[in-house]
Amino acid sequence: MHIIRKLTVGMLAALLGAAAVRAEVALEATANRQRIYIGESFILQVKISGADQPVEPDVSGIADAAVRLLDSREYSNFSFTIINGRMVREGFSGRVVSYEVTPRRAGVFRAGPVALEADGRRLEAAGPEVTVTDITPQDEVQLAVEASRETVLADEPFTVRLRLRIRALTGRFAEVDPLFPDNPPRLQAPFLDNNPIAGLRGPSMQDVLRRLLARHDNQPGVNINEYTLADDPFSFRGFFEAFGQPRRARFVLPRRMVEVDGQPYFEYQLELQYTPEEEGDYVFGPATFKGSIPVSVDDAGNASGRDIFAVGRAVTVRVVPPPEAGRPASFTGTLGTNLQAAASLDCLTCNAGDPVRLTLTVTGHLRFDRMLPPRLETQTNLLENFSVYDQTVQTFADSPTQRRFVYTIRPRRAGMLEVPPLELAYYDTAARAYAVRRTAPVPLDVRPGAEVTAEQIISATTAVNGIQPEVPDTELTPAPPWLTASGAGSVNLFGRPRLWIVVLAGPAGYILVLAVQQYFAWRRRTASVRRRRRVLTAARRRLRRLQRSGAAAGEPGAICDMIRAVLAARFEVNTAALTPKELGEMLPRIKLPAPDVKMLASIYQRHFDAAYGGAAAASGGIADADLRRDCRELERILAGRVS
């Protein structure tokens, strides 16, 4: 009793000490995107932990932006790992407040400060930085990324639509696609890559785009991302393309005519349907359009083109849990439609105190992977006559639309009892509201329990312990050894060639496998170096051709394409939409002398402006002498092997 008293006092002291030490209030602000275009929005998440009462942060310090509250909810997500024999808990528990922030100006935008008043003191977070890039206004091309829903629940489908509008030509060419068949523009969008998006069930982009491939070379269309065609190497086209760049795939999107502000446009659309499996914020976009389109046609049918760069702002689809408001206490975490529940017992009669198996069967079109076993301890009407053991529950997945939960309960008294209606709540995704289902009552005849005396327990135990099993002697007799008539003899194992083959085959095969692995590992390690050499060689060859032919034979933006190809091979990143500002951020990482870095940046800026309507284009483009000078400078820089 003295030991029990000391343990009890120690446990109470520990509990009181743990209650006295409160977790410090912490504030954290993060953004789901680091780079956006002007007019786009990003999600600002403010995490608050350690606060006794729900508190809302102060975001009035965020300037030059529109801020909209999205939601505020309790969130808890922990994981446990064992490190050196100690259990370590990692994760977050507290309140998460989400805002939609739309900056009003270009440049580096600070989403802060974010302040919080809690426990009589003020906390402040500086807030994340987001780079906002400006867009040159134009009305020839309109590009947009749209989503059918802004917020969805898990397993609730939604649609993402890429919409491209190009202003139609006038006169007798008004019904002709405003696209050059031999020079299609390029659409870039991350979600159009053939890579699955974690947490979403979506279509196979390879299957979607295969149905949109152009039927012939003269059919107007667009290039999408980095998709290319695999030609027959023995064909006339494939023979020459095998030694150059692969041919980009051309896609023909479904189109229709629309009118915007009194102007006719060709509208091209691509729709994709997704079904979320996990909660989170999913960003689609931004999408970019880059290329030349016809803007006028003379009487002889000759078209004049214009280089266009357009951006379709990204959209964010938020997959959220069911709302906290109106959530019943019997909510099990599942959502779906048409939940049905039934209860049953494994017997009709029993004695008071006997364990009884209670089976709860749940069916419906539900997310069972999110469903927790219903807690019978919260069913107060059941606790009146039964003892409940929630920790003994067993879960059985009978089918994709059915789960069984088997509990152990004990009746506390004798009489005609019944298991009362059990309540289960779920979130109905069709009605977008919580729904409650109750099982039918189950009768149970409980008899008084039989009393067992101490003498009966002792005699039964003695009888059991007094039983001695009888084992026949024949089962314990060892088997005699078996020998041939000639007896034992010696065998020379080393004089058998087959044995040597078997012995040496293993090491030889192991060495061969190691050699093959080392060869392929060497190929993987040197793949980027070999690819970089090929790109540098092709770039220098093209620079020499441009020096000989001048600007008349060069495509607009050829120099920019060449620089982007070299940088893509160096950094192994997608540089298809590289702007001069982004190039300036990337160049310090290149091991080049400072004058060469400055020269490379100025050449890229000059040719970028000439291709996309900057100052160089306004002055008539790039002269032959300037082009040849830039080619010589680039060839000198590339001769030093950009590394």
Side-chain angles (χ1 to χ4, degrees):
M1 291 299 294
H2 179 68
I3 295 175
I4 293 175
R5 189 181 302 111
K6 291 181 65 176
L7 289 174
T8 305
V9 172
M11 291 176 62
L12 288 175
L15 291 174
L16 291 175
V21 179
R22 296 189 313 181
E24 287 291 332
V25 179
L27 178 67
E28 181 186 4
T30 59
N32 71 325
R33 300 175 63 189
Q34 281 69 50
R35 304 183 66 88
I36 64 174
Y37 286 97
I38 190 72
E40 288 188 308
S41 303
F42 64 91
I43 305 298
L44 176 67
Q45 274 197 347
V46 181
K47 295 182 178 180
I48 306 169
S49 59
D52 291 338
Q53 300 294 330
V55 290
E56 298 297 332
D58 179 13
V59 295
S60 59
I62 301 178
D64 294 331
V67 182
R68 180 169 68 98
L69 175 64
L70 296 177
D71 63 26
S72 174
R73 67 179 187 271
E74 292 293 330
Y75 182 81
S76 180
N77 184 20
F78 284 101
S79 62
F80 295 88
T81 56
I82 297 178
I83 302 176
N84 296 330
R86 297 182 59 187
M87 181 175 292
V88 180
R89 186 179 73 163
E90 298 177 346
F92 170 79
S93 178
R95 179 162 291 273
V96 176
V97 187
S98 300
Y99 298 90
E100 180 189 72
V101 181
T102 308
R104 297 192 178 97
R105 58 176 177 81
V108 178
F109 175 79
R110 171 74 69 177
V114 179
L116 178 70
E117 295 284 347
D119 297 342
R121 62 192 186 99
R122 179 180 175 85
L123 299 177
E124 200 170 273
E129 285 189 350
V130 178
T131 302
V132 185
T133 304
D134 203 356
I135 304 173
T136 303
Q138 50 83 29
D139 59 356
E140 282 87 358
V141 175
Q142 299 177 0
L143 186 61
V145 182
E146 303 167 342
S148 59
R149 301 288 296 271
E150 182 179 327
T151 60
V152 296
L153 301 167
D155 268 353
E156 188 175 15
F158 63 91
T159 301
V160 174
R161 180 183 301 106
L162 177 65
R163 178 169 49 80
L164 169 64
R165 290 175 179 170
I166 305 177
R167 192 163 61 184
L169 298 170
T170 58
R172 59 193 180 97
F173 299 99
E175 297 184 359
V176 177
D177 286 83
L179 295 168
F180 288 115
D182 57 345
N183 186 23
R186 184 184 303 180
L187 276 175
Q188 293 277 148
F191 63 94
L192 297 183
D193 285 337
N194 194 33
N195 299 319
I197 302 175
L200 295 179
R201 289 198 312 271
S204 168
M205 289 306 307
Q206 189 172 4
D207 295 339
V208 171
L209 295 179
R210 185 182 291 115
R211 295 192 291 267
L212 301 176
L213 278 172
R215 303 289 183 182
H216 51 79
D217 291 342
N218 293 326
Q219 189 173 8
V222 296
N223 300 141
I224 295 180
N225 289 7
E226 305 300 324
Y227 291 103
T228 58
L229 292 177
D231 282 320
D232 182 3
F234 299 101
S235 66
F236 179 79
R237 178 189 296 272
F239 176 78
F240 289 98
E241 290 180 350
F243 299 95
Q245 294 294 327
R247 185 161 58 106
R248 292 191 176 278
R250 184 184 307 170
F251 303 96
V252 179
L253 304 181
R255 66 177 177 87
R256 60 171 184 162
M257 293 293 297
V258 297
E259 188 172 300
V260 181
D261 297 332
Q263 294 288 334
Y265 283 81
F266 278 80
E267 182 177 89
Y268 305 86
Q269 288 192 4
L270 180 61
E271 289 191 355
L272 305 171
Q273 189 172 63
Y274 296 90
T275 301
E277 297 178 330
E278 302 294 337
E279 297 172 3
D281 298 333
Y282 297 93
V283 180
F284 296 89
T288 60
F289 175 96
K290 185 183 296 184
S292 180
I293 63 169
V295 293
S296 62
V297 184
D298 59 19
D299 295 337
N302 298 317
S304 299
R306 180 178 301 168
D307 289 318
I308 300 293
F309 179 74
V311 175
R313 298 179 177 90
V315 297
T316 300
V317 178
R318 304 178 60 244
V319 182
V320 298
E324 293 181 355
R327 181 178 296 176
S330 58
F331 179 60
T332 59
T334 189
L335 40 87
T337 58
N338 195 32
L339 184 146
Q340 302 294 327
S344 62
L345 298 173
D346 64 341
C347 61
L348 300 178
T349 62
C350 68
N351 296 325
D354 285 351
V356 178
R357 292 166 64 87
L358 169 63
T359 300
L360 185 61
T361 304
V362 181
T363 60
H365 300 288
L366 307 166
R367 281 293 301 266
F368 284 112
D369 59 330
R370 294 177 172 270
M371 185 176 186
L372 299 174
R375 292 186 58 194
L376 299 186
E377 293 176 350
T378 62
Q379 310 280 343
T380 56
N381 54 353
L382 178 65
L383 299 180
E384 294 178 0
N385 296 318
F386 295 89
S387 297
V388 176
Y389 305 93
D390 276 336
Q391 66 274 15
T392 64
V393 63
Q394 294 177 287
T395 303
F396 299 93
D398 298 329
S399 70
T401 60
Q402 178 173 302
R403 291 292 186 275
R404 280 186 302 121
F405 304 97
V406 181
Y407 303 83
T408 298
I409 63 174
R410 291 177 182 271
R412 294 180 178 177
R413 62 180 181 86
M416 285 299 300
L417 306 181
E418 71 174 13
V419 175
L422 303 178
E423 181 179 293
L424 284 85
Y426 74 107
Y427 190 83
D428 192 326
T429 54
R432 298 189 70 82
Y434 287 102
V436 177
R437 296 290 183 267
R438 293 177 177 84
T439 63
V442 182
L444 179 64
D445 184 9
V446 182
R447 300 186 297 266
E451 294 185 3
V452 181
T453 64
E455 291 79 4
Q456 291 174 319
I457 296 177
I458 293 173
S459 61
T461 306
T462 305
V464 172
N465 293 337
I467 297 176
Q468 298 293 334
E470 295 183 1
V471 181
D473 293 338
T474 56
E475 297 184 11
L476 303 177
T477 304
W482 181 80
L483 295 174
T484 62
S486 59
S490 61
V491 178
N492 184 11
L493 297 179
F494 295 98
R496 298 187 177 185
R498 293 183 181 179
L499 179 62
W500 282 104
I501 294 175
V502 173
V503 171
L504 296 178
Y510 178 70
I511 294 173
L512 179 62
V513 170
L514 281 181
V516 173
Q517 287 179 343
Q518 292 298 321
Y519 171 74
F520 283 105
W522 173 81
R523 293 279 299 179
R524 287 194 297 271
R525 287 195 303 270
T526 60
S528 60
V529 176
R530 289 184 278 109
R531 182 169 60 254
R532 194 181 309 165
R533 289 175 180 171
R534 288 197 302 269
V535 173
L536 289 172
T537 302
R540 288 199 294 270
R541 191 184 304 119
R542 192 172 182 185
L543 284 171
R544 296 191 189 101
R545 287 201 302 268
L546 286 175
Q547 290 184 55
R548 291 193 300 268
S549 58
E555 301 176 1
I559 295 295
C560 293
D561 291 340
M562 195 180 313
I563 295 175
R564 284 193 291 265
V566 173
L567 294 180
R570 165 61 183 86
F571 293 104
E572 298 185 354
V573 296
N574 183 9
T575 60
L578 190 69
T579 63
K581 182 177 180 181
E582 294 170 340
L583 177 69
E585 298 172 354
M586 186 180 294
L587 284 180
R589 290 179 279 172
I590 301 179
K591 297 178 182 178
L592 284 178
D596 290 347
V597 170
K598 186 176 180 180
M599 176 64 68
L600 190 62
S602 63
I603 292 175
Y604 188 85
Q605 179 73 59
R606 185 159 53 250
H607 287 267
F608 185 89
D609 292 341
Y612 297 107
S619 60
I622 303 294
D624 285 351
D626 295 334
L627 176 63
R628 291 190 173 95
R629 184 195 63 223
D630 291 343
C631 289
R632 287 194 298 272
E633 291 294 335
L634 281 177
E635 188 174 5
R636 178 184 61 79
I637 295 173
L638 293 181
R641 300 269 181 169
V642 176
S643 61

